[in-house]
Amino acid sequence: MAARTLDVSIIGLGNWGTSLAAALTAARVPLREVIVRQRRRTKLPAVTTVAWKNAALDARVLWLCVPDSAVAATAADIVQRRPNLAGQIVVHSSGALTVAALGAARRAGALVASMHPVMTFPSRDVVPLASVFFGIEAGNLSARRTLHSLARKLGGRPFDLRSQDKAMYHAAGTLASPLLVSALTAAMEAAHLAGLDEKTARQWVQSLAEPTAHNVFTRGAGKSFSGPFARGDAGTIRLHLKTLDAHPILAAVYRALAKHAVKSLPVKNVRALSKVLGKSS
């Protein structure tokens, strides 16, 4: 039996779905449908949307680009409209959920998988997918090979994930992007509290953060680590914590990152630093 054409239907056209639709179109991967709950204009002139009631749902790959909380219900809606999914692959985009969320589709005969883009999509503006990592969770070898091929067609870099590793994997991604934004925002807030105006605080943090990130990824974390922790300056750390006491959330962020630094990075005077960090004030 000849293999089906590798075509894709996207379900949901939020920030991520918009970039995916653009990438599929650019890569000349047949985009059968972009299915939405409510019709809306898109920023993509070559893409039109289809309402659920008119959806054929007959592409080889049905790619769910919906919030995590909607994945299971969307899979069930697909099955309600198309009870036999034999020969199709139903994929969700979540980095945290496993393929278990697609149980309804699996019971209807589909192969199920997840394919998570390791990238940030903060708006409907198209983000290119060239060189983007794709974490692929697929128990079926055929589905896994198909999705690896699809990721490469998009210019991406596919790698395999196990179901039992998904939560930790997604926690790592959250630390690397949204919580990194939070850490930088905390630094800007502290700079503002020190008397810098908002614009200067942002530029001041940027002047430190950008070369630091560059150094970490080119020289390694240990060779990029400096400041009072690297020197083992417990007195300075005590002074930091004292002034941060009036700002409990900033203090908690500082203390958590500091404890991680003492455990994982080359610091001097570890015993004294640990003693200071172990105190509440």
Side-chain angles (χ1 to χ4, degrees), residues 178-200:
L179 289 184
L180 177 59
V181 174
S182 181
L184 293 172
T185 302
M188 287 185 276
E189 183 179 341
H192 187 52
L193 288 168
L196 281 67
D197 63 72
E198 188 172 324
K199 180 180 178 181
T200 303

Side-chain angles (χ1 to χ4, degrees), residues 86-107:
Q88 295 177 266
I89 305 172
V90 177
V91 181
H92 71 63
S93 306
S94 171
L97 298 180
T98 71
V99 294
L102 298 172
R106 184 180 61 249
R107 289 188 292 273

Side-chain angles (χ1 to χ4, degrees), residues 256-274:
L257 291 173
K259 288 181 177 180
H260 184 268
V262 170
K263 179 181 178 181
S264 305
L265 292 166
V267 302
K268 295 180 180 178
N269 205 11
V270 171
R271 182 174 295 181
L273 292 178
S274 298

Side-chain angles (χ1 to χ4, degrees), residues 151-176:
R152 286 191 290 268
K153 287 178 184 290
L154 298 176
R157 304 164 67 182
F159 65 97
D160 291 324
L161 279 172
R162 302 182 305 172
S163 296
Q164 61 265 39
D165 296 327
K166 290 290 290 288
M168 183 61 75
Y169 158 80
H170 199 253
T174 301
L175 285 165

Side-chain angles (χ1 to χ4, degrees), residues 228 231-239 268-269 272-273 276:
R231 296 191 300 269
D233 188 347
T236 296
I237 305 307
R238 186 179 293 108
L239 181 63
K268 295 180 180 178
N269 205 11
L273 292 178
V276 170

Side-chain angles (χ1 to χ4, degrees), residues 175-237:
L175 285 165
S177 184
L179 289 184
L180 177 59
V181 174
S182 181
L184 293 172
T185 302
M188 287 185 276
E189 183 179 341
H192 187 52
L193 288 168
L196 281 67
D197 63 72
E198 188 172 324
K199 180 180 178 181
T200 303
R202 183 176 67 253
Q203 294 174 338
W204 183 83
V205 170
Q206 181 181 7
S207 73
L208 284 170
E210 286 187 346
T212 300
H214 175 78
N215 288 341
V216 168
F217 296 118
T218 56
R219 303 175 56 192
K223 293 182 179 180
S224 305
F225 190 61
S226 62
F229 287 95
R231 296 191 300 269
D233 188 347
T236 296
I237 305 307

Side-chain angles (χ1 to χ4, degrees), residues 97-163:
L97 298 180
T98 71
V99 294
L102 298 172
R106 184 180 61 249
R107 289 188 292 273
L111 299 178
V112 294
S114 70
M115 194 167 172
H116 175 248
V118 187
M119 181 48 63
T120 177
F121 301 93
S123 73
R124 297 290 173 91
D125 293 335
V126 171
V127 176
L129 301 185
S131 298
V132 168
F133 283 97
F134 282 88
I136 295 174
E137 174 203 8
N140 178 273
L141 179 59
S142 175
R144 190 158 63 245
R145 286 175 173 170
T146 297
L147 297 180
H148 272 255
S149 175
L150 179 54
R152 286 191 290 268
K153 287 178 184 290
L154 298 176
R157 304 164 67 182
F159 65 97
D160 291 324
L161 279 172
R162 302 182 305 172
S163 296

